[in-house]
Short mmCIF file of all heavy atoms in Angstrom, two decimals:
data_model
loop_
_atom_site.label_atom_id
_atom_site.label_comp_id
_atom_site.label_asym_id
_atom_site.label_seq_id
_atom_site.Cartn_x
_atom_site.Cartn_y
_atom_site.Cartn_z
N CYS A 1 0.84 -1.20 0.00
CA CYS A 1 0.03 0.05 0.03
C CYS A 1 0.86 1.21 -0.08
O CYS A 1 1.81 1.27 0.87
CB CYS A 1 -0.84 -0.07 1.22
SG CYS A 1 -1.74 1.53 1.54
N THR A 2 0.64 2.07 -0.94
CA THR A 2 1.40 3.34 -1.03
C THR A 2 0.50 4.56 -0.84
O THR A 2 -0.55 4.66 -1.48
CB THR A 2 2.15 3.37 -2.36
OG1 THR A 2 2.99 2.29 -2.41
CG2 THR A 2 2.92 4.73 -2.52
N ALA A 3 0.88 5.51 -0.06
CA ALA A 3 0.23 6.83 0.13
C ALA A 3 1.01 7.78 -0.61
O ALA A 3 2.24 7.99 -0.43
CB ALA A 3 0.17 7.23 1.56
N SER A 4 0.32 8.73 -1.40
CA SER A 4 0.98 9.75 -2.21
C SER A 4 0.16 10.88 -2.16
O SER A 4 -0.98 10.98 -1.86
CB SER A 4 1.25 9.25 -3.65
OG SER A 4 -0.03 8.96 -4.19
N GLY A 5 0.78 12.11 -2.55
CA GLY A 5 -0.07 13.30 -2.77
C GLY A 5 0.04 14.23 -1.54
O GLY A 5 -0.61 15.33 -1.68
N SER A 6 0.79 13.83 -0.45
CA SER A 6 0.73 14.77 0.62
C SER A 6 2.17 15.26 0.90
O SER A 6 3.18 14.53 0.70
CB SER A 6 0.37 13.96 1.89
OG SER A 6 0.54 14.67 3.04
N MET A 7 2.26 16.52 1.36
CA MET A 7 3.57 16.98 1.70
C MET A 7 3.95 16.62 3.17
O MET A 7 5.14 16.85 3.55
CB MET A 7 3.53 18.54 1.67
CG MET A 7 2.57 19.23 2.58
SD MET A 7 2.43 21.06 2.35
CE MET A 7 4.14 21.46 2.83
N PHE A 8 3.14 15.96 3.86
CA PHE A 8 3.44 15.33 5.16
C PHE A 8 3.48 13.77 5.04
O PHE A 8 2.62 13.14 4.48
CB PHE A 8 2.38 15.79 6.15
CG PHE A 8 2.17 17.20 6.32
CD1 PHE A 8 1.16 17.94 5.69
CD2 PHE A 8 3.21 17.97 7.00
CE1 PHE A 8 1.02 19.24 5.82
CE2 PHE A 8 3.04 19.25 7.15
CZ PHE A 8 2.00 19.94 6.56
N ASP A 9 4.47 13.16 5.82
CA ASP A 9 4.42 11.75 5.82
C ASP A 9 3.37 11.23 6.75
O ASP A 9 2.97 11.87 7.69
CB ASP A 9 5.78 11.21 6.41
CG ASP A 9 6.91 11.60 5.37
OD1 ASP A 9 6.61 11.76 4.19
OD2 ASP A 9 8.05 11.72 5.93
N PRO A 10 2.79 10.12 6.35
CA PRO A 10 1.67 9.58 7.29
C PRO A 10 2.20 9.27 8.65
O PRO A 10 3.31 8.77 8.84
CB PRO A 10 1.28 8.25 6.60
CG PRO A 10 1.74 8.46 5.19
CD PRO A 10 3.02 9.34 5.27
N ASP A 11 1.42 9.67 9.65
CA ASP A 11 1.74 9.34 11.01
C ASP A 11 1.62 7.91 11.35
O ASP A 11 2.40 7.36 12.10
CB ASP A 11 0.88 10.18 11.96
CG ASP A 11 1.09 11.73 11.76
OD1 ASP A 11 2.21 12.19 11.73
OD2 ASP A 11 -0.02 12.40 11.49
N VAL A 12 0.58 7.30 10.76
CA VAL A 12 0.15 5.96 11.00
C VAL A 12 -0.16 5.30 9.64
O VAL A 12 -0.94 5.97 8.85
CB VAL A 12 -0.86 5.67 12.01
CG1 VAL A 12 -1.29 4.31 12.20
CG2 VAL A 12 -0.52 6.44 13.35
N MET A 13 0.17 4.13 9.36
CA MET A 13 -0.35 3.36 8.30
C MET A 13 -0.87 2.04 8.88
O MET A 13 -0.35 1.53 9.76
CB MET A 13 0.66 3.15 7.24
CG MET A 13 1.11 4.48 6.61
SD MET A 13 2.09 4.21 5.14
CE MET A 13 0.84 3.88 3.86
N ALA A 14 -2.03 1.61 8.31
CA ALA A 14 -2.59 0.39 8.84
C ALA A 14 -3.39 -0.39 7.82
O ALA A 14 -3.76 0.15 6.82
CB ALA A 14 -3.60 0.84 10.07
N TRP A 15 -3.50 -1.71 8.12
CA TRP A 15 -4.44 -2.60 7.39
C TRP A 15 -5.59 -2.96 8.15
O TRP A 15 -5.53 -3.35 9.31
CB TRP A 15 -3.59 -3.82 6.94
CG TRP A 15 -2.61 -3.58 6.00
CD1 TRP A 15 -1.21 -3.42 6.14
CD2 TRP A 15 -2.81 -3.55 4.52
NE1 TRP A 15 -0.55 -3.27 4.93
CE2 TRP A 15 -1.49 -3.38 3.94
CE3 TRP A 15 -3.89 -3.68 3.72
CZ2 TRP A 15 -1.38 -3.22 2.52
CZ3 TRP A 15 -3.75 -3.56 2.39
CH2 TRP A 15 -2.48 -3.40 1.77
N TYR A 16 -6.72 -2.89 7.51
CA TYR A 16 -7.99 -3.41 8.04
C TYR A 16 -8.53 -4.40 7.07
O TYR A 16 -8.03 -4.47 5.89
CB TYR A 16 -9.01 -2.26 8.10
CG TYR A 16 -8.83 -1.30 9.23
CD1 TYR A 16 -7.86 -0.37 9.27
CD2 TYR A 16 -9.73 -1.29 10.49
CE1 TYR A 16 -7.58 0.56 10.32
CE2 TYR A 16 -9.46 -0.42 11.47
CZ TYR A 16 -8.51 0.43 11.35
OH TYR A 16 -8.27 1.43 12.44
N ARG A 17 -9.58 -5.12 7.47
CA ARG A 17 -10.18 -6.04 6.63
C ARG A 17 -11.67 -6.17 6.88
O ARG A 17 -12.10 -5.89 7.96
CB ARG A 17 -9.66 -7.45 6.65
CG ARG A 17 -9.72 -8.22 7.94
CD ARG A 17 -8.97 -9.49 7.96
NE ARG A 17 -9.17 -10.25 9.19
CZ ARG A 17 -8.51 -11.45 9.47
NH1 ARG A 17 -7.54 -11.84 8.60
NH2 ARG A 17 -8.70 -12.01 10.55
N GLN A 18 -12.41 -6.43 5.81
CA GLN A 18 -13.91 -6.63 5.97
C GLN A 18 -14.35 -7.78 5.20
O GLN A 18 -14.17 -7.81 3.99
CB GLN A 18 -14.52 -5.30 5.51
CG GLN A 18 -16.10 -5.32 5.89
CD GLN A 18 -16.68 -3.94 5.82
OE1 GLN A 18 -16.11 -3.09 5.15
NE2 GLN A 18 -17.81 -3.85 6.43
N ALA A 19 -14.85 -8.70 5.91
CA ALA A 19 -15.49 -9.92 5.28
C ALA A 19 -16.98 -9.72 5.09
O ALA A 19 -17.58 -8.87 5.72
CB ALA A 19 -15.29 -11.12 6.15
N PRO A 20 -17.62 -10.34 4.12
CA PRO A 20 -19.06 -10.24 3.85
C PRO A 20 -19.80 -10.44 5.04
O PRO A 20 -19.68 -11.41 5.82
CB PRO A 20 -19.26 -11.27 2.90
CG PRO A 20 -17.95 -11.54 2.06
CD PRO A 20 -16.93 -11.36 3.17
N GLY A 21 -20.74 -9.46 5.30
CA GLY A 21 -21.51 -9.56 6.49
C GLY A 21 -21.02 -9.28 7.87
O GLY A 21 -21.65 -9.49 8.86
N LYS A 22 -19.76 -8.85 7.85
CA LYS A 22 -18.97 -8.55 9.02
C LYS A 22 -18.60 -7.12 9.08
O LYS A 22 -18.39 -6.37 8.07
CB LYS A 22 -17.88 -9.58 9.16
CG LYS A 22 -18.18 -10.97 9.44
CD LYS A 22 -16.99 -11.89 9.80
CE LYS A 22 -17.36 -13.24 10.03
NZ LYS A 22 -16.16 -14.18 10.52
N GLN A 23 -18.29 -6.71 10.27
CA GLN A 23 -17.77 -5.34 10.49
C GLN A 23 -16.28 -5.29 9.98
O GLN A 23 -15.56 -6.25 10.13
CB GLN A 23 -17.87 -4.85 11.92
CG GLN A 23 -19.31 -4.63 12.33
CD GLN A 23 -19.43 -3.95 13.78
OE1 GLN A 23 -18.58 -4.26 14.55
NE2 GLN A 23 -20.36 -3.09 13.92
N ARG A 24 -15.89 -4.08 9.71
CA ARG A 24 -14.43 -3.85 9.39
C ARG A 24 -13.68 -3.96 10.69
O ARG A 24 -14.08 -3.56 11.73
CB ARG A 24 -14.30 -2.45 8.88
CG ARG A 24 -12.94 -2.10 8.35
CD ARG A 24 -12.82 -0.71 7.64
NE ARG A 24 -13.73 -0.70 6.48
CZ ARG A 24 -13.68 0.35 5.74
NH1 ARG A 24 -12.98 1.40 6.09
NH2 ARG A 24 -14.52 0.45 4.73
N GLU A 25 -12.55 -4.73 10.56
CA GLU A 25 -11.82 -4.99 11.83
C GLU A 25 -10.29 -4.63 11.45
O GLU A 25 -9.77 -4.74 10.31
CB GLU A 25 -11.75 -6.42 12.17
CG GLU A 25 -11.27 -7.39 11.26
CD GLU A 25 -11.28 -8.85 11.84
OE1 GLU A 25 -11.44 -9.02 12.96
OE2 GLU A 25 -10.88 -9.83 11.02
N LEU A 26 -9.56 -4.10 12.50
CA LEU A 26 -8.16 -3.86 12.36
C LEU A 26 -7.36 -5.12 12.21
O LEU A 26 -7.57 -6.13 12.95
CB LEU A 26 -7.69 -3.04 13.72
CG LEU A 26 -6.14 -2.67 13.68
CD1 LEU A 26 -5.82 -1.70 12.64
CD2 LEU A 26 -5.78 -2.22 15.03
N VAL A 27 -6.46 -5.15 11.30
CA VAL A 27 -5.55 -6.26 11.11
C VAL A 27 -4.15 -5.94 11.86
O VAL A 27 -3.66 -6.66 12.64
CB VAL A 27 -5.28 -6.56 9.71
CG1 VAL A 27 -4.27 -7.74 9.51
CG2 VAL A 27 -6.63 -6.98 9.06
N ALA A 28 -3.63 -4.79 11.39
CA ALA A 28 -2.31 -4.35 11.98
C ALA A 28 -2.10 -2.86 11.75
O ALA A 28 -2.57 -2.36 10.75
CB ALA A 28 -1.14 -5.22 11.29
N THR A 29 -1.41 -2.27 12.59
CA THR A 29 -1.05 -0.89 12.47
C THR A 29 0.31 -0.60 12.82
O THR A 29 0.97 -1.25 13.67
CB THR A 29 -1.98 0.00 13.33
OG1 THR A 29 -1.64 1.43 13.17
CG2 THR A 29 -1.87 -0.36 14.85
N ILE A 30 0.96 0.32 12.06
CA ILE A 30 2.41 0.69 12.21
C ILE A 30 2.56 2.22 12.24
O ILE A 30 2.40 2.83 11.18
CB ILE A 30 3.24 -0.03 11.14
CG1 ILE A 30 4.74 0.30 11.41
CG2 ILE A 30 2.82 0.28 9.80
CD1 ILE A 30 5.75 -0.70 10.65
N PRO A 31 2.88 2.75 13.34
CA PRO A 31 3.05 4.17 13.39
C PRO A 31 4.44 4.57 12.97
O PRO A 31 5.32 3.72 12.90
CB PRO A 31 2.84 4.51 14.93
CG PRO A 31 3.26 3.31 15.69
CD PRO A 31 2.91 2.16 14.65
N SER A 32 4.62 5.94 12.75
CA SER A 32 5.99 6.30 12.33
C SER A 32 6.87 6.29 13.65
O SER A 32 8.02 6.03 13.60
CB SER A 32 5.98 7.69 11.74
OG SER A 32 5.27 8.63 12.66
#
């Protein structure tokens, strides 16, 4: 996953996932 277009670096980047019929859930997060 790449973030672009900002003059600031992301403070946090993270992965979430959503299965059919389920709520979105956090998979992993990595802060700067």
Side-chain angles (χ1 to χ4, degrees):
C1 167
T2 298
S4 60
S6 173
M7 60 186 297
F8 302 103
D9 293 333
D11 302 302
V12 179
M13 297 189 78
W15 287 98
Y16 285 73
R17 66 186 181 187
Q18 187 162 19
K22 294 188 177 181
Q23 288 190 326
R24 186 176 296 184
E25 63 172 353
L26 176 69
V27 175
T29 181
I30 183 167
S32 55

